[in-house]
Amino acid sequence: MIRRLMPGLALAAATAGAQETLLPSAGGGAGISISAWHFAKAIPQGAGGLADVAEFSVPFRVRAQLGRWGFDLSGAGAAGAAHFTVASTGNGDEGGERATTLFGPTDVKLRLSGAVVSENWVATLGLTVPTGKVGLTGDETSTLQAIGAPALHMPVAALGTGAGATVGLIRAFQGDDWAFAVGGSFEQRTEYSPIAIALGNGKSETRVTPGSAIHATLGFDRTLGEHHWSGLLVADVFSKDQVKLLEDARATTSTSYQLGPQVTLSSQYEFGGGSWREASFNVAARMRSEFSDSLGTKVPGSSGNYLEASIGGVRGGTTGAGLLIGLDGRWHSGLNFTDALVGAAVTAVGATIGVERAGDAAMTRFYIHGQYGSFDTGTIQTTGMGATIGFSIYGRREAR
């Protein structure tokens, strides 16, 4: 029971990263996916009206057990593109269309976790290796703002965020058919430069010095006959982040902000059995509070709520081919302090169909995921259609 509960709680404590969810939990795996969105009406952004956005991603994950310590390494490469329509200014500029692109790797996430003193105490260490692309140009920044918008739910939403480290400790308690665990961790990242723009009279770049973060986690796992029910609660508290704008290596402006506390609650009910290789229902909710500006004043409209749910599984025996099917939906309240896509309210539904083939040592999966959603930035409301085509291969046996 503890072996089922600890990996998820350790992962939350070590903040292993977004691309962690792109591959099923396994000893190792890799995949490719192509995702795209088209909007009925272009969404106004700084670079123009966003009409289409696409991303090609290649995630990977490696897991191993070295004595009492579990080793987990993950990352991804991504290529994104955004298509903008540019309106006429009325000053001889007739407008038109433009495309922006972004290519590069993400940071690599390394997590170590292992029992200390006894199996009920687990220490975690998370490291972020700064391999991700930084120093983005203006066009690359516009592309990242599109593929990184939470409303679009792209597989890779961020590239480089600087080096970082997280340390944590988890304590588990176990009964006959249940397990409960509580943990905490501390995270610190270093300064990095996400944007570098060449100007006519020199070069301007931003330098971000993230503050620290404290994460508290609670988790449970309970056996219900042949089924399992598990849950995870994560609370995050952040210190101030510093942002500097430099021109020719000289600081021209400096400001700070502080993210508000946030709470994430997720739960999974696994009910696979019989003719189902696996099946589950998942739900997650996140409550994000207002952030504070450099004066310590809370910014109105910067709080938001997120709710996501999915149900699905693989119909088939333990080996051979199986039919992958699923339904999902999400609702984001939006952040109305901004009319950029990053703060858009969204209601979206999706469906997945695919094939999974299970061998003795590996599984392969091919799937198509279609989505339809409505988007509201506060200045425009529109609908969009999205699709993802993906393939992955991964080790079938979990490393212990």
Side-chain angles (χ1 to χ4, degrees):
M1 183 71 67
I2 288 181
R3 286 183 179 273
R4 290 181 53 87
L5 176 63
M6 282 304 200
L9 198 66
L11 181 61
T15 60
Q19 66 265 23
E20 193 72 35
T21 61
L22 295 179
L23 297 169
S25 179
I32 58 174
S33 69
I34 301 174
S35 303
W37 276 94
H38 171 73
F39 305 103
K41 292 189 294 186
I43 301 176
Q45 302 291 289
L50 180 64
D52 305 277
V53 60
E55 180 183 75
F56 174 78
S57 59
V58 184
F60 69 87
R61 181 179 181 183
V62 178
R63 304 190 69 178
Q65 191 73 25
L66 305 175
R68 300 176 64 182
W69 288 88
F71 170 92
D72 193 299
L73 183 72
S74 64
H83 168 220
F84 296 93
T85 60
V86 182
S88 172
T89 62
N91 298 320
D93 183 1
E94 298 180 356
E97 302 182 13
R98 62 189 294 257
T100 62
T101 58
L102 172 65
F103 306 88
T106 68
D107 292 331
V108 171
K109 309 289 185 177
L110 170 64
R111 175 173 62 89
L112 296 173
S113 61
V116 292
V117 182
S118 71
E119 188 183 33
N120 292 333
W121 287 91
V122 173
T124 64
L125 171 63
L127 297 175
T128 300
V129 183
T131 56
K133 184 177 177 65
V134 294
L136 306 182
T137 66
D139 282 354
E140 289 175 329
T141 302
S142 297
T143 307
L144 183 61
Q145 290 172 340
I147 65 175
L152 301 187
H153 223 275
M154 286 294 193
V156 176
L159 298 182
T161 58
T166 304
V167 292
L169 186 65
I170 302 168
R171 173 68 164 97
F173 307 87
Q174 183 174 8
D176 292 336
D177 57 1
W178 60 270
F180 173 79
V182 57
S185 61
F186 176 82
E187 178 186 5
Q188 182 65 60
R189 289 186 292 144
T190 60
E191 183 179 84
Y192 68 105
S193 179
I195 304 171
I197 303 175
L199 304 176
N201 59 346
K203 183 178 181 181
S204 177
E205 67 175 25
T206 59
R207 287 188 182 175
V208 178
T209 305
S212 57
I214 296 175
H215 311 283
T217 54
L218 294 172
F220 75 89
D221 184 276
R222 180 173 176 81
T223 300
L224 300 172
E226 296 181 352
H227 305 157
H228 278 93
W229 179 35
S230 59
L232 183 64
L233 174 68
V234 182
D236 308 302
V237 179
F238 307 92
S239 65
K240 284 187 176 181
D241 295 350
Q242 301 290 329
V243 181
K244 297 178 183 178
L245 178 64
L246 295 91
E247 187 171 339
D248 294 329
R250 294 174 299 174
T252 56
T253 60
S254 178
T255 188
S256 65
Y257 64 92
Q258 183 174 3
L259 297 176
Q262 67 178 22
V263 177
T264 303
L265 177 64
S266 61
S267 182
Q268 180 182 68
Y269 183 71
E270 299 177 70
F271 54 88
S275 61
W276 289 87
R277 180 177 301 165
E278 60 181 67
S280 65
F281 172 72
N282 302 270
V283 63
R286 175 177 295 179
M287 290 70 72
R288 184 191 301 273
S289 61
E290 296 174 329
F291 72 83
S292 301
D293 59 21
S294 58
L295 300 178
T297 303
K298 294 186 181 299
V299 178
S302 62
S303 61
N305 300 309
Y306 308 79
L307 180 63
E308 302 178 1
S310 65
I311 185 170
V314 179
R315 187 173 177 82
T318 56
T319 60
L323 177 64
L324 171 67
I325 54 176
L327 297 172
D328 61 270
R330 66 182 187 277
W331 172 83
H332 298 178
S333 66
L335 310 174
N336 59 26
F337 80 98
T338 177
D339 60 359
L341 183 59
V342 68
V346 60
T347 301
V349 294
T352 301
I353 188 167
V355 177
E356 180 182 87
R357 183 170 183 81
D360 292 335
M363 286 187 179
T364 57
R365 175 178 290 182
F366 173 81
Y367 65 91
I368 300 174
H369 180 221
Q371 298 183 78
Y372 177 83
S374 62
F375 303 85
D376 185 355
T377 65
T379 58
I380 189 173
Q381 295 180 354
T382 187
T383 58
M385 297 185 67
T388 298
I389 300 175
F391 172 81
S392 61
I393 180 170
Y394 48 98
R396 194 177 178 197
R397 292 184 176 84
E398 182 81 15
R400 295 295 186 186

